[in-house]
Amino acid sequence: MSLWNTILSNLPEVAGPTQKRLSFKEKLKWTSIILVIFFVLGLIPLFGLGRNELQRFEYLSIILGASFGSITSLGIGPIVTASIVLQLLNGSGLMKMDLTSHEGKRKFQGIQKLLGIFFIIFEAGIYVFMGGLTPDSVLAGTALYTRVQLLLVFQLFIGGMLILFMDEVVSKWGFGSGLSLFIAAGVSQEIFTSALSPLPSPLDPSVPIGAIPGLFKALSMGNPVEAGLLMASVIATVLVFVMAVYSQAMKIEIPLSFGRVRGHGIRWPLHFLYTSNIPVILVAALMANVQLWARLLQNWGYPLLGTFSAASNSPQSGLVLWLHPPNLVRKILTSSLTMGDIKVSVIYLLFFIVGCVVFSWFWMQTAGMDAKSQAKQIMASGLQIPGFRRDQRVLERLLDRYIKSLTVMGAIAVGILASVADLAGSLSRGTGILLAVMIIYKLYEEIARQHMMDMNPLMRRFME
């Protein structure tokens, strides 16, 4: 066995369950435990931290499942970055792996984990040594300053590895994936706070944090512009919810029959959003990383990706300006919309759509969702197309007509929905809301499909 295979086969991992099928209670237990641990880790501050430049990008922390300044400051960023790099390498043909075999999938997962560990170390060093998370300035120029920097990197490494293993625990012992769970938890928390919190805003103590209490206060004080802005945020959030659920429910059903049992068959569903929320996660994480890198490079004195305003922390020039969505609804209501805002909005929309299509296509090919893999799975289940001979090639040609179209069209639809929600100025980032709705809806479908019969009767009635 080569050294490379030895490293991949000896990477630390979470042991999977020995039983073939886990009960609903068992999955619920592990999912709840990991969710509680995730929130607790987000409350543990980094020991020795002085200045937290990343705190200005709190809105990006939701997409990255991070809590800047805590032990989980890296969030899911390194894991998603590793997935993006590996998909691009495999999709472009620079790294060929046979994902149809068990050995090929195991190798792919091993390389992805190794890349994830590399990016945990790399991003931890970048965050600390490029000025994002730094020790107290009074230590500057002393030997203790370097030691505290190394201590911060070590703490970020520990937090990143904990996120990596918690993702594995959820994937093997819980519902869905840990990455999706962490994003949904962060977005849900922000939406609840942004909509209902009556506490005063830290920026303006006279205004509550929550949009709904703020709406009633604006109406009582006779401020129609502010009331209209808050109402627009609430309406935009509700529309994203409705459109996301409606899009998730759209699907094509292919009639199939059991070859040996006449008169019996099923319908094989192909969802309109074929690759689900994966393209949005990857594009959103990519854009978040670009903005974080731009800020760190600016602090380092090399604003290669653009510059930010010191006062408002908003992008001023460069790539980050074109990847930052303006709040079009606010600008229209306050009569401050310019041609530059329209240009930025169009570029942002196009970037999101193209990015979703690219990542959706790569994910379809690498995640076993292509026509060949689906046809093989259907044939293994003893199913075939009614009126056709039992041949995998026939089934593959039929599925290929739908899967390629759904991959592209679904990606375009989800890209438009996410980017328009961002531009509309919803209560959270529109991307985050869309991800949360899709994750929760997919989780509901998985639970309803696999565990409807073994859950508590009250829970079953609620799910129905």
Side-chain angles (χ1 to χ4, degrees):
M1 184 181 291
S2 65
L3 177 61
W4 179 249
N5 290 331
T6 303
I7 294 174
L8 292 181
S9 59
N10 287 282
L11 287 173
E13 65 175 338
V14 175
T18 54
Q19 59 269 47
K20 188 174 181 180
R21 184 175 181 274
L22 292 175
S23 66
F24 173 78
K25 289 183 179 179
E26 187 74 10
K27 287 189 176 183
L28 182 62
K29 178 186 75 174
W30 284 108
T31 303
S32 304
I33 289 173
I34 293 300
L35 195 56
V36 171
I37 293 175
F38 173 74
F39 280 121
V40 171
L41 289 177
L43 298 175
I44 301 177
L46 290 168
F47 180 76
L49 179 64
R51 192 173 75 251
N52 181 5
E53 287 287 338
L54 301 181
Q55 196 169 17
R56 302 181 182 184
F57 294 92
E58 199 63 35
Y59 63 95
L60 294 179
S61 66
I62 299 168
I63 302 298
L64 296 175
S67 178
F68 294 140
S70 76
I71 196 173
T72 59
S73 294
L74 297 179
I76 66 172
I79 306 173
V80 175
T81 304
S83 177
I84 291 173
V85 171
L86 197 55
Q87 283 194 54
L88 291 176
L89 289 175
N90 190 61
S92 62
L94 296 176
M95 181 184 290
K96 280 292 184 182
M97 280 175 282
D98 181 17
L99 297 177
T100 59
S101 64
H102 176 73
E103 186 62 30
K105 289 181 180 178
R106 186 174 180 83
K107 185 178 179 181
F108 183 87
Q109 292 169 355
I111 295 174
Q112 185 171 347
K113 178 180 287 187
L114 194 62
L115 269 177
I117 296 173
F118 165 76
F119 278 113
I120 288 172
I121 300 172
F122 179 72
E123 291 189 16
I126 291 295
Y127 278 19
V128 173
F129 293 108
M130 289 183 66
L133 301 168
T134 58
D136 199 313
S137 57
V138 298
L139 301 176
T142 65
L144 188 59
Y145 188 84
T146 303
R147 293 176 184 174
V148 175
Q149 281 184 316
L150 295 175
L151 178 61
L152 290 173
V153 171
F154 177 71
Q155 293 176 79
L156 291 175
F157 171 74
I158 295 296
M161 292 300 294
L162 287 173
I163 293 290
L164 182 69
F165 289 127
M166 288 194 298
D167 173 51
E168 278 196 52
V169 172
V170 176
S171 300
K172 294 179 179 180
W173 293 87
F175 299 113
S177 72
L179 303 185
S180 298
L181 180 68
F182 301 150
I183 293 174
V187 175
S188 301
Q189 182 183 33
E190 192 199 17
I191 291 176
F192 183 82
T193 303
S194 301
L196 301 174
S197 176
L199 299 176
S201 171
L203 301 177
D204 185 359
S206 64
V207 178
I209 297 175
I212 294 177
L215 173 62
F216 287 112
K217 185 169 184 178
L219 290 173
S220 64
M221 296 179 64
N223 189 345
V225 175
E226 185 64 26
L229 291 172
L230 293 172
M231 178 64 74
S233 298
V234 174
I235 292 174
T237 304
V238 173
L239 286 177
V240 173
F241 269 91
V242 173
M243 291 301 296
V245 173
Y246 181 77
S247 300
Q248 282 282 93
M250 293 172 62
K251 59 186 175 182
I252 295 173
E253 294 183 331
I254 299 176
L256 298 174
S257 64
F258 292 96
R260 298 180 180 179
V261 184
R262 293 177 177 268
H264 293 275
I266 64 169
R267 292 185 175 273
W268 192 272
L270 297 175
H271 289 274
F272 174 64
L273 303 181
Y274 187 65
T275 50
S276 189
N277 55 5
I278 298 299
V280 181
I281 291 177
L282 297 177
V283 174
L286 177 63
M287 295 170 72
N289 278 317
V290 168
Q291 295 196 42
L292 288 175
W293 272 84
R295 184 69 193 193
L296 294 175
L297 287 170
Q298 182 180 350
N299 291 343
W300 209 28
Y302 297 94
L304 302 177
L305 298 176
T307 59
F308 291 85
S309 167
S312 62
N313 197 44
S314 58
Q316 295 294 305
S317 64
L319 180 62
V320 289
L321 176 63
W322 300 100
L323 299 184
H324 188 272
N327 189 335
L328 291 182
V329 175
R330 173 177 286 274
K331 289 182 176 293
I332 291 172
L333 291 177
T334 56
S335 302
S336 59
L337 183 66
T338 64
M339 185 57 67
D341 295 324
I342 297 175
K343 290 179 181 178
V344 171
S345 302
V346 172
I347 296 297
Y348 182 82
L349 183 70
L350 291 176
F351 182 87
F352 220 113
I353 293 173
V354 172
C356 282
V357 171
V358 171
F359 285 124
S360 181
W361 189 268
F362 285 161
W363 187 262
M364 179 266 292
Q365 293 180 324
T366 58
M369 300 177 70
D370 58 297
K372 184 177 181 180
S373 301
Q374 291 291 305
K376 187 176 180 180
Q377 183 181 347
I378 291 172
M379 295 294 289
S381 303
L383 296 166
Q384 67 183 62
I385 305 173
F388 289 84
R389 59 192 176 92
R390 184 176 170 79
D391 190 333
Q392 182 174 327
R393 293 171 299 178
V394 176
L395 183 56
E396 185 179 336
R397 281 196 298 269
L398 175 66
L399 291 174
D400 194 57
R401 288 165 48 193
Y402 293 105
I403 287 178
K404 287 183 177 179
S405 300
L406 291 174
T407 300
V408 175
M409 292 172 61
I412 292 174
V414 79
I416 292 174
L417 187 57
S419 54
V420 169
D422 283 340
L423 296 170
S426 48
L427 294 178
S428 174
R429 284 292 295 270
T431 307
I433 297 174
L434 178 64
L435 285 174
V437 174
M438 295 176 70
I439 289 167
I440 295 171
Y441 187 88
K442 191 174 182 180
L443 192 63
Y444 162 78
E445 284 190 324
E446 179 184 339
I447 294 174
R449 184 175 63 253
Q450 298 180 5
H451 301 284
M452 188 64 79
M453 299 308 298
D454 61 341
M455 64 177 59
N456 184 278
L458 291 177
M459 179 68 75
R460 189 187 310 157
R461 194 174 305 151
F462 172 77
M463 294 292 292
E464 292 173 349

